[in-house]
């Protein structure tokens, strides 16, 4: 039985959360999800049984999402969030980390279509990170944008990584999803 139900903006956000969350048992390994099982169709709850890459610990993690996607592919390539609210499961540091991981993956892919999809997803991660900046005049995120000690340490050690203007500049270099924005893609 899972500890609690985490509230997510989409199944895509859940999959990204599982990519960047370390194991709760050993703290080192990344957890890898199995296939989701629908726990409660009316409450739109899904559960993943995760397994740690380092210690093999298994854990059930349950999420509530606004809707269930029609297929797994649409949850990966679809929007992360249509809400203006920042995530309650991924902090600003995790979104920035995910952006860089996805950009690194894109650089390793020979398939240009798949590489572009990774870059679009990286751009979406930056959009999610930027939602944490609540003050117009402040170029750095507020303290409550960091959920984990490791994120707080990273911010303390390298605050320049969290500059809103730098994140916006990086976002401007990445392609957009023309089907979502209604404009031409870059």
């Amino acid at each position: 039985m899972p500890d609690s139900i985490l509230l997510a903006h989409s199944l895509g956000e859940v999959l990204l959360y599982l990519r960047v969350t370390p194991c709760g048992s050993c703290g080192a390994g990344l957890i890898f999800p199995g296939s989701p099982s629908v726990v409660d169709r009316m409450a739109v709850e899904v559960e993943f049984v995760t397994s740690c890459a380092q210690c093999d610990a298994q854990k059930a993690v349950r999420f509530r999402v606004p809707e269930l996607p029609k297929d797994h592919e649409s949850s990966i390539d679809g929007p992360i969030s249509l809400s203006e609210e920042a995530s309650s499961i991924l902090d600003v540091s995790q979104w920035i980390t995910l952006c860089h991981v996805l950009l690194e993956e894109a650089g390793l892919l020979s398939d240009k279509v798949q590489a572009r999809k990774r870059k679009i997803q990286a751009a979406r991660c930056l959009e999610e990170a930027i939602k944490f900046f609540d003050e117009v005049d402040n170029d750095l995120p507020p303290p409550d944008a960091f959920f984990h000690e490791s994120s707080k340490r990273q911010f303390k050690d390298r605050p320049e990584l969290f500059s809103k203007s730098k994140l916006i500049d990086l976002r401007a270099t990445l392609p957009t999803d023309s089907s979502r924005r209604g404009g031409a893609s870059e």
Side-chain angles (χ1 to χ4, degrees):
M1 184 72 172
D3 296 333
S4 62
I5 299 172
L6 301 174
L7 302 177
H9 290 122
S10 68
L11 192 54
E13 181 181 25
V14 168
L15 295 171
L16 290 168
Y17 170 86
L18 293 171
R19 281 193 73 176
V20 75
T21 302
C23 172
S25 296
C26 72
L30 292 178
I31 54 177
F32 295 97
S35 296
S37 55
V38 177
V39 177
D40 184 335
R41 194 164 289 284
M42 295 301 287
V44 199
E45 290 179 11
V46 294
E47 181 175 275
F48 286 87
V49 176
T50 62
S51 179
C52 175
Q54 181 98 8
C55 71
D56 291 326
Q58 292 193 341
K59 181 179 181 180
V61 188
R62 190 175 290 182
F63 300 88
R64 182 170 293 138
V65 293
E67 65 183 6
L68 296 174
K70 293 173 183 55
D71 57 51
H72 186 70
E73 188 70 22
S74 66
S75 65
I76 294 170
D77 293 334
I80 295 169
S81 172
L82 299 177
S83 171
E84 293 299 316
E85 292 180 24
S87 175
S88 63
I89 62 173
L90 288 163
D91 71 12
V92 67
S93 180
Q94 291 171 303
W95 285 118
I96 294 168
T97 298
L98 281 163
C99 169
H100 292 292
V101 166
L102 289 163
L103 288 175
E104 186 176 311
E105 288 177 4
L108 298 173
L109 292 171
S110 58
D111 182 330
K112 291 185 182 209
V113 171
Q114 291 304 314
R116 180 176 170 73
K117 285 182 180 183
R118 291 285 196 305
K119 289 178 182 178
I120 289 170
Q121 198 68 356
R124 290 177 181 159
C125 289
L126 286 177
E127 291 167 3
E128 293 302 314
I130 292 168
K131 289 179 182 180
F132 283 95
F133 293 80
D134 55 0
E135 296 177 30
V136 175
D137 295 334
N138 196 346
D139 194 47
L140 296 175
D144 64 355
F146 302 94
F147 305 160
H148 311 283
E149 286 306 315
S150 60
S151 296
K152 292 173 186 174
R153 249 188 331 276
Q154 185 181 29
F155 177 60
K156 182 181 177 209
D157 294 344
R158 305 216 31 223
E160 70 277 6
L161 297 176
F162 299 91
S163 163
K164 181 179 181 181
S165 58
K166 286 184 181 180
L167 296 177
I168 290 170
D169 290 346
L170 176 57
R171 172 62 189 95
T173 68
L174 298 173
T176 60
D177 180 2
S178 61
S179 66
R180 193 174 99 176
R181 298 194 189 280
S185 58
E186 297 171 5

